[in-house]
Short mmCIF file of all heavy atoms in Angstrom, two decimals:
data_model
loop_
_atom_site.label_atom_id
_atom_site.label_comp_id
_atom_site.label_asym_id
_atom_site.label_seq_id
_atom_site.Cartn_x
_atom_site.Cartn_y
_atom_site.Cartn_z
N ARG A 1016 1.88 8.44 48.10
CA ARG A 1016 2.82 7.54 47.38
C ARG A 1016 2.14 6.28 47.03
O ARG A 1016 1.41 5.66 47.77
CB ARG A 1016 3.99 7.29 48.37
CG ARG A 1016 5.11 6.48 47.69
CD ARG A 1016 6.19 6.21 48.68
NE ARG A 1016 7.27 5.39 48.11
CZ ARG A 1016 7.23 4.09 47.97
NH1 ARG A 1016 6.14 3.46 48.41
NH2 ARG A 1016 8.24 3.43 47.45
N LEU A 1566 1.95 3.18 63.48
CA LEU A 1566 2.02 4.62 63.29
C LEU A 1566 2.18 5.35 64.59
O LEU A 1566 2.98 6.31 64.73
CB LEU A 1566 0.71 5.09 62.54
CG LEU A 1566 0.56 4.67 61.07
CD1 LEU A 1566 -0.75 5.15 60.56
CD2 LEU A 1566 1.71 5.15 60.23
N ASP A 1610 12.98 13.03 51.58
CA ASP A 1610 12.82 11.67 52.15
C ASP A 1610 11.36 11.21 52.15
O ASP A 1610 11.11 10.01 52.35
CB ASP A 1610 13.35 11.67 53.58
CG ASP A 1610 14.85 11.90 53.69
OD1 ASP A 1610 15.50 11.65 52.60
OD2 ASP A 1610 15.32 12.32 54.75
N ILE A 1611 10.38 12.07 51.93
CA ILE A 1611 8.99 11.71 51.99
C ILE A 1611 8.69 10.54 50.99
O ILE A 1611 7.95 9.64 51.37
CB ILE A 1611 8.08 12.88 51.76
CG1 ILE A 1611 8.17 13.82 52.98
CG2 ILE A 1611 6.67 12.50 51.49
CD1 ILE A 1611 7.33 15.12 52.85
N PRO A 1612 9.15 10.58 49.72
CA PRO A 1612 8.79 9.45 48.84
C PRO A 1612 9.26 8.12 49.26
O PRO A 1612 8.88 7.10 48.72
CB PRO A 1612 9.43 9.92 47.49
CG PRO A 1612 9.61 11.36 47.59
CD PRO A 1612 9.94 11.63 48.99
N HIS A 1613 10.25 8.06 50.24
CA HIS A 1613 10.87 6.81 50.62
C HIS A 1613 10.40 6.29 52.01
O HIS A 1613 10.90 5.24 52.45
CB HIS A 1613 12.38 6.93 50.65
CG HIS A 1613 12.90 7.42 49.35
ND1 HIS A 1613 12.92 6.67 48.17
CD2 HIS A 1613 13.43 8.64 48.99
CE1 HIS A 1613 13.45 7.38 47.17
NE2 HIS A 1613 13.79 8.56 47.65
N VAL A 1614 9.55 7.02 52.67
CA VAL A 1614 9.29 6.65 54.08
C VAL A 1614 8.61 5.28 54.14
O VAL A 1614 8.69 4.60 55.25
CB VAL A 1614 8.39 7.72 54.78
CG1 VAL A 1614 9.15 9.01 54.85
CG2 VAL A 1614 7.07 7.88 54.01
N PHE A 1615 7.92 4.82 53.13
CA PHE A 1615 7.20 3.52 53.17
C PHE A 1615 8.06 2.41 52.56
O PHE A 1615 7.54 1.27 52.43
CB PHE A 1615 5.87 3.62 52.45
CG PHE A 1615 4.84 4.44 53.14
CD1 PHE A 1615 4.59 5.75 52.73
CD2 PHE A 1615 4.18 3.94 54.24
CE1 PHE A 1615 3.65 6.51 53.37
CE2 PHE A 1615 3.21 4.72 54.89
CZ PHE A 1615 2.95 6.02 54.45
N ASP A 1616 9.32 2.70 52.19
CA ASP A 1616 10.17 1.66 51.71
C ASP A 1616 10.69 0.78 52.84
O ASP A 1616 10.83 1.27 53.98
CB ASP A 1616 11.39 2.26 51.01
CG ASP A 1616 11.00 2.96 49.71
OD1 ASP A 1616 9.89 2.68 49.21
OD2 ASP A 1616 11.78 3.77 49.12
N ARG A 1617 10.97 -0.45 52.53
CA ARG A 1617 11.45 -1.38 53.55
C ARG A 1617 12.89 -1.03 53.99
O ARG A 1617 13.74 -0.73 53.16
CB ARG A 1617 11.43 -2.79 53.02
CG ARG A 1617 9.99 -3.25 52.60
CD ARG A 1617 10.02 -4.59 51.93
NE ARG A 1617 8.70 -4.91 51.40
CZ ARG A 1617 8.35 -6.04 50.84
NH1 ARG A 1617 9.25 -6.98 50.72
NH2 ARG A 1617 7.13 -6.21 50.37
N TRP A 1619 13.99 1.47 55.27
CA TRP A 1619 14.45 2.85 55.07
C TRP A 1619 14.26 3.61 56.37
O TRP A 1619 13.25 3.50 57.07
CB TRP A 1619 13.59 3.53 53.99
CG TRP A 1619 14.11 4.94 53.68
CD1 TRP A 1619 15.03 5.32 52.80
CD2 TRP A 1619 13.66 6.13 54.36
NE1 TRP A 1619 15.23 6.65 52.80
CE2 TRP A 1619 14.42 7.18 53.80
CE3 TRP A 1619 12.75 6.40 55.35
CZ2 TRP A 1619 14.24 8.53 54.19
CZ3 TRP A 1619 12.62 7.74 55.77
CH2 TRP A 1619 13.39 8.73 55.20
N LEU A 1636 6.64 1.07 58.79
CA LEU A 1636 5.79 1.84 57.82
C LEU A 1636 5.56 1.04 56.55
O LEU A 1636 4.48 1.19 55.95
CB LEU A 1636 6.51 3.17 57.46
CG LEU A 1636 6.58 4.16 58.63
CD1 LEU A 1636 7.29 5.47 58.14
CD2 LEU A 1636 5.16 4.46 59.16
N ALA A 1637 6.51 0.17 56.12
CA ALA A 1637 6.28 -0.69 55.02
C ALA A 1637 5.10 -1.69 55.26
O ALA A 1637 4.26 -1.94 54.38
CB ALA A 1637 7.52 -1.48 54.67
N ILE A 1638 5.03 -2.15 56.54
CA ILE A 1638 3.92 -3.03 56.93
C ILE A 1638 2.65 -2.24 56.97
O ILE A 1638 1.60 -2.76 56.50
CB ILE A 1638 4.22 -3.67 58.29
CG1 ILE A 1638 5.39 -4.63 58.24
CG2 ILE A 1638 3.00 -4.38 58.88
CD1 ILE A 1638 5.85 -5.26 59.51
N VAL A 1639 2.64 -1.00 57.38
CA VAL A 1639 1.46 -0.16 57.42
C VAL A 1639 0.91 -0.05 55.96
O VAL A 1639 -0.32 -0.23 55.73
CB VAL A 1639 1.78 1.23 57.94
CG1 VAL A 1639 0.59 2.18 57.78
CG2 VAL A 1639 2.03 1.08 59.49
N LEU A 1640 1.77 0.26 55.01
CA LEU A 1640 1.34 0.37 53.65
C LEU A 1640 0.73 -0.91 53.08
O LEU A 1640 -0.32 -0.93 52.47
CB LEU A 1640 2.48 0.85 52.77
CG LEU A 1640 2.21 1.03 51.27
CD1 LEU A 1640 1.17 2.05 51.04
CD2 LEU A 1640 3.47 1.32 50.47
N ALA A 1650 -2.22 4.53 52.27
CA ALA A 1650 -1.51 5.15 53.35
C ALA A 1650 -0.69 6.29 52.79
O ALA A 1650 -0.10 6.22 51.72
CB ALA A 1650 -0.51 4.15 54.02
N SER A 1651 -0.72 7.46 53.46
CA SER A 1651 -0.05 8.64 52.94
C SER A 1651 0.53 9.41 54.12
O SER A 1651 0.19 9.19 55.33
CB SER A 1651 -1.03 9.52 52.15
OG SER A 1651 -2.09 9.93 52.97
N VAL A 1652 1.40 10.37 53.81
CA VAL A 1652 2.03 11.22 54.78
C VAL A 1652 2.17 12.57 54.29
O VAL A 1652 2.46 12.80 53.12
CB VAL A 1652 3.41 10.60 55.24
CG1 VAL A 1652 4.36 10.54 54.04
CG2 VAL A 1652 4.03 11.43 56.40
N PHE A 1662 0.31 11.17 59.40
CA PHE A 1662 0.13 9.93 58.63
C PHE A 1662 -1.35 9.57 58.60
O PHE A 1662 -2.05 9.72 59.61
CB PHE A 1662 0.85 8.78 59.34
CG PHE A 1662 2.39 8.83 59.13
CD1 PHE A 1662 3.14 9.61 59.99
CD2 PHE A 1662 2.98 8.15 58.13
CE1 PHE A 1662 4.52 9.70 59.83
CE2 PHE A 1662 4.35 8.20 57.94
CZ PHE A 1662 5.13 8.96 58.77
N THR A 1663 -1.86 9.24 57.44
CA THR A 1663 -3.31 9.02 57.24
C THR A 1663 -3.54 7.67 56.59
O THR A 1663 -2.90 7.35 55.56
CB THR A 1663 -3.91 10.11 56.38
OG1 THR A 1663 -3.61 11.38 56.96
CG2 THR A 1663 -5.44 9.94 56.30
#
Side-chain angles (χ1 to χ4, degrees):
R1016 184 181 180 280
L1566 293 177
D1610 293 339
I1611 289 179
H1613 305 288
V1614 295
F1615 291 101
D1616 292 343
R1617 300 175 188 183
W1619 184 90
L1636 294 180
I1638 292 176
V1639 170
L1640 177 63
S1651 61
V1652 59
F1662 287 84
T1663 305

